[in-house]
Amino acid sequence: MWFEHQDKFYHAGAYGLMGIFAWRCFQHYFKSPIILAFSSIAFCSLYGVSDEWHQSFVAGRDSSHEDWVADTIGAIVGVYLVAKFKAQSVDENEALTLANCAIDCANCTFHEQHASKSSNLKS
């Protein structure tokens, strides 16, 4: 190990990734972002508790509440990041939708004007 408590960063990183996966899984069940975030964090935190409890029975492994805290903090960071990027992508999608709508309206107007000029020339 390069420094003391380096393993806490491993715990946080692993559970951060788990938080992202939990978010993606639970998004199909919860529409409210707040409930989705809390559910994802709670799932990861409870899994961390069960993992630490399991490690207390394994020879050569130790269990600590500091590891569980690192797990939970990692899940919080992972869920925060996915929620933040998800909100940004929704805003970007809305902006693209509005831009596409404006382009479609401009095209319709152009084609309507062009069609009316063509019909006037034929008359």
Side-chain angles (χ1 to χ4, degrees), residues 48-59 61 63:
V49 166
S50 71
D51 185 43
E52 292 303 317
W53 180 67
H54 168 261
Q55 286 181 22
S56 69
F57 297 106
V58 176
R61 301 290 305 263
S63 174

PDB file of all heavy atoms in Angstrom, residues 48-59 61 63:
ATOM      1  N   GLY A  48     -23.235  -3.183   1.637  1.00  0.00           N
ATOM      2  CA  GLY A  48     -21.957  -2.992   2.336  1.00  0.00           C
ATOM      3  C   GLY A  48     -21.990  -3.542   3.750  1.00  0.00           C
ATOM      4  O   GLY A  48     -21.031  -4.165   4.209  1.00  0.00           O
ATOM      5  N   VAL A  49     -23.103  -3.326   4.446  1.00  0.00           N
ATOM      6  CA  VAL A  49     -23.255  -3.875   5.808  1.00  0.00           C
ATOM      7  C   VAL A  49     -23.209  -5.395   5.759  1.00  0.00           C
ATOM      8  O   VAL A  49     -22.519  -6.042   6.566  1.00  0.00           O
ATOM      9  CB  VAL A  49     -24.577  -3.390   6.450  1.00  0.00           C
ATOM     10  CG1 VAL A  49     -24.920  -4.202   7.685  1.00  0.00           C
ATOM     11  CG2 VAL A  49     -24.489  -1.920   6.796  1.00  0.00           C
ATOM     12  N   SER A  50     -23.941  -5.981   4.806  1.00  0.00           N
ATOM     13  CA  SER A  50     -23.959  -7.446   4.720  1.00  0.00           C
ATOM     14  C   SER A  50     -22.580  -7.991   4.345  1.00  0.00           C
ATOM     15  O   SER A  50     -22.185  -9.061   4.830  1.00  0.00           O
ATOM     16  CB  SER A  50     -25.020  -7.917   3.720  1.00  0.00           C
ATOM     17  OG  SER A  50     -24.642  -7.623   2.404  1.00  0.00           O
ATOM     18  N   ASP A  51     -21.857  -7.267   3.512  1.00  0.00           N
ATOM     19  CA  ASP A  51     -20.512  -7.692   3.128  1.00  0.00           C
ATOM     20  C   ASP A  51     -19.565  -7.658   4.328  1.00  0.00           C
ATOM     21  O   ASP A  51     -18.775  -8.584   4.539  1.00  0.00           O
ATOM     22  CB  ASP A  51     -19.987  -6.810   2.000  1.00  0.00           C
ATOM     23  CG  ASP A  51     -18.645  -7.284   1.472  1.00  0.00           C
ATOM     24  OD1 ASP A  51     -18.474  -8.508   1.286  1.00  0.00           O
ATOM     25  OD2 ASP A  51     -17.775  -6.431   1.237  1.00  0.00           O
ATOM     26  N   GLU A  52     -19.650  -6.582   5.107  1.00  0.00           N
ATOM     27  CA  GLU A  52     -18.802  -6.490   6.303  1.00  0.00           C
ATOM     28  C   GLU A  52     -19.167  -7.573   7.316  1.00  0.00           C
ATOM     29  O   GLU A  52     -18.289  -8.160   7.958  1.00  0.00           O
ATOM     30  CB  GLU A  52     -18.900  -5.099   6.934  1.00  0.00           C
ATOM     31  CG  GLU A  52     -18.301  -4.003   6.086  1.00  0.00           C
ATOM     32  CD  GLU A  52     -16.852  -4.236   5.731  1.00  0.00           C
ATOM     33  OE1 GLU A  52     -16.055  -4.646   6.606  1.00  0.00           O
ATOM     34  OE2 GLU A  52     -16.493  -4.014   4.555  1.00  0.00           O
ATOM     35  N   TRP A  53     -20.432  -7.844   7.463  1.00  0.00           N
ATOM     36  CA  TRP A  53     -20.882  -8.901   8.383  1.00  0.00           C
ATOM     37  C   TRP A  53     -20.350 -10.252   7.900  1.00  0.00           C
ATOM     38  O   TRP A  53     -19.839 -11.049   8.696  1.00  0.00           O
ATOM     39  CB  TRP A  53     -22.405  -8.915   8.462  1.00  0.00           C
ATOM     40  CG  TRP A  53     -22.957  -9.950   9.377  1.00  0.00           C
ATOM     41  CD1 TRP A  53     -22.839 -10.005  10.737  1.00  0.00           C
ATOM     42  CD2 TRP A  53     -23.710 -11.097   9.001  1.00  0.00           C
ATOM     43  NE1 TRP A  53     -23.475 -11.115  11.232  1.00  0.00           N
ATOM     44  CE2 TRP A  53     -24.022 -11.798  10.175  1.00  0.00           C
ATOM     45  CE3 TRP A  53     -24.168 -11.593   7.784  1.00  0.00           C
ATOM     46  CZ2 TRP A  53     -24.759 -12.978  10.171  1.00  0.00           C
ATOM     47  CZ3 TRP A  53     -24.903 -12.763   7.784  1.00  0.00           C
ATOM     48  CH2 TRP A  53     -25.185 -13.433   8.968  1.00  0.00           C
ATOM     49  N   HIS A  54     -20.443 -10.506   6.595  1.00  0.00           N
ATOM     50  CA  HIS A  54     -19.921 -11.755   6.030  1.00  0.00           C
ATOM     51  C   HIS A  54     -18.422 -11.876   6.272  1.00  0.00           C
ATOM     52  O   HIS A  54     -17.925 -12.957   6.629  1.00  0.00           O
ATOM     53  CB  HIS A  54     -20.218 -11.796   4.527  1.00  0.00           C
ATOM     54  CG  HIS A  54     -19.495 -12.870   3.799  1.00  0.00           C
ATOM     55  ND1 HIS A  54     -18.342 -12.636   3.086  1.00  0.00           N
ATOM     56  CD2 HIS A  54     -19.740 -14.200   3.698  1.00  0.00           C
ATOM     57  CE1 HIS A  54     -17.917 -13.776   2.562  1.00  0.00           C
ATOM     58  NE2 HIS A  54     -18.754 -14.736   2.906  1.00  0.00           N
ATOM     59  N   GLN A  55     -17.685 -10.781   6.107  1.00  0.00           N
ATOM     60  CA  GLN A  55     -16.235 -10.823   6.292  1.00  0.00           C
ATOM     61  C   GLN A  55     -15.852 -11.132   7.739  1.00  0.00           C
ATOM     62  O   GLN A  55     -14.766 -11.657   7.983  1.00  0.00           O
ATOM     63  CB  GLN A  55     -15.606  -9.497   5.869  1.00  0.00           C
ATOM     64  CG  GLN A  55     -15.570  -9.309   4.380  1.00  0.00           C
ATOM     65  CD  GLN A  55     -14.930  -7.993   3.994  1.00  0.00           C
ATOM     66  OE1 GLN A  55     -14.165  -7.408   4.746  1.00  0.00           O
ATOM     67  NE2 GLN A  55     -15.250  -7.523   2.800  1.00  0.00           N
ATOM     68  N   SER A  56     -16.736 -10.836   8.669  1.00  0.00           N
ATOM     69  CA  SER A  56     -16.423 -11.119  10.071  1.00  0.00           C
ATOM     70  C   SER A  56     -16.349 -12.625  10.342  1.00  0.00           C
ATOM     71  O   SER A  56     -15.775 -13.044  11.347  1.00  0.00           O
ATOM     72  CB  SER A  56     -17.456 -10.468  10.995  1.00  0.00           C
ATOM     73  OG  SER A  56     -18.719 -11.093  10.878  1.00  0.00           O
ATOM     74  N   PHE A  57     -16.899 -13.435   9.445  1.00  0.00           N
ATOM     75  CA  PHE A  57     -16.871 -14.889   9.603  1.00  0.00           C
ATOM     76  C   PHE A  57     -15.778 -15.557   8.777  1.00  0.00           C
ATOM     77  O   PHE A  57     -15.568 -16.753   8.884  1.00  0.00           O
ATOM     78  CB  PHE A  57     -18.223 -15.496   9.195  1.00  0.00           C
ATOM     79  CG  PHE A  57     -19.363 -15.047  10.054  1.00  0.00           C
ATOM     80  CD1 PHE A  57     -20.284 -14.143   9.571  1.00  0.00           C
ATOM     81  CD2 PHE A  57     -19.499 -15.521  11.351  1.00  0.00           C
ATOM     82  CE1 PHE A  57     -21.334 -13.728  10.358  1.00  0.00           C
ATOM     83  CE2 PHE A  57     -20.553 -15.106  12.148  1.00  0.00           C
ATOM     84  CZ  PHE A  57     -21.473 -14.200  11.644  1.00  0.00           C
ATOM     85  N   VAL A  58     -15.080 -14.809   7.941  1.00  0.00           N
ATOM     86  CA  VAL A  58     -14.074 -15.379   7.048  1.00  0.00           C
ATOM     87  C   VAL A  58     -12.697 -15.255   7.694  1.00  0.00           C
ATOM     88  O   VAL A  58     -12.284 -14.168   8.105  1.00  0.00           O
ATOM     89  CB  VAL A  58     -14.085 -14.657   5.673  1.00  0.00           C
ATOM     90  CG1 VAL A  58     -12.987 -15.184   4.776  1.00  0.00           C
ATOM     91  CG2 VAL A  58     -15.440 -14.801   5.016  1.00  0.00           C
ATOM     92  N   ALA A  59     -12.003 -16.390   7.759  1.00  0.00           N
ATOM     93  CA  ALA A  59     -10.664 -16.389   8.355  1.00  0.00           C
ATOM     94  C   ALA A  59      -9.719 -15.545   7.517  1.00  0.00           C
ATOM     95  O   ALA A  59      -9.738 -15.585   6.286  1.00  0.00           O
ATOM     96  CB  ALA A  59     -10.142 -17.827   8.440  1.00  0.00           C
ATOM     97  N   ARG A  61      -9.800 -12.348   7.193  1.00  0.00           N
ATOM     98  CA  ARG A  61     -10.444 -11.079   6.803  1.00  0.00           C
ATOM     99  C   ARG A  61     -10.919 -10.379   8.062  1.00  0.00           C
ATOM    100  O   ARG A  61     -11.194 -11.010   9.078  1.00  0.00           O
ATOM    101  CB  ARG A  61     -11.660 -11.329   5.889  1.00  0.00           C
ATOM    102  CG  ARG A  61     -11.406 -12.051   4.599  1.00  0.00           C
ATOM    103  CD  ARG A  61     -10.617 -11.250   3.570  1.00  0.00           C
ATOM    104  NE  ARG A  61     -11.168  -9.963   3.245  1.00  0.00           N
ATOM    105  CZ  ARG A  61     -11.944  -9.702   2.201  1.00  0.00           C
ATOM    106  NH1 ARG A  61     -12.285 -10.675   1.376  1.00  0.00           N
ATOM    107  NH2 ARG A  61     -12.356  -8.484   1.973  1.00  0.00           N
ATOM    108  N   SER A  63     -13.525  -7.134   9.613  1.00  0.00           N
ATOM    109  CA  SER A  63     -14.697  -6.330   9.349  1.00  0.00           C
ATOM    110  C   SER A  63     -14.568  -5.015  10.110  1.00  0.00           C
ATOM    111  O   SER A  63     -14.124  -5.009  11.262  1.00  0.00           O
ATOM    112  CB  SER A  63     -15.940  -7.092   9.808  1.00  0.00           C
ATOM    113  OG  SER A  63     -17.078  -6.303   9.687  1.00  0.00           O
TER     114      SER A  63
END
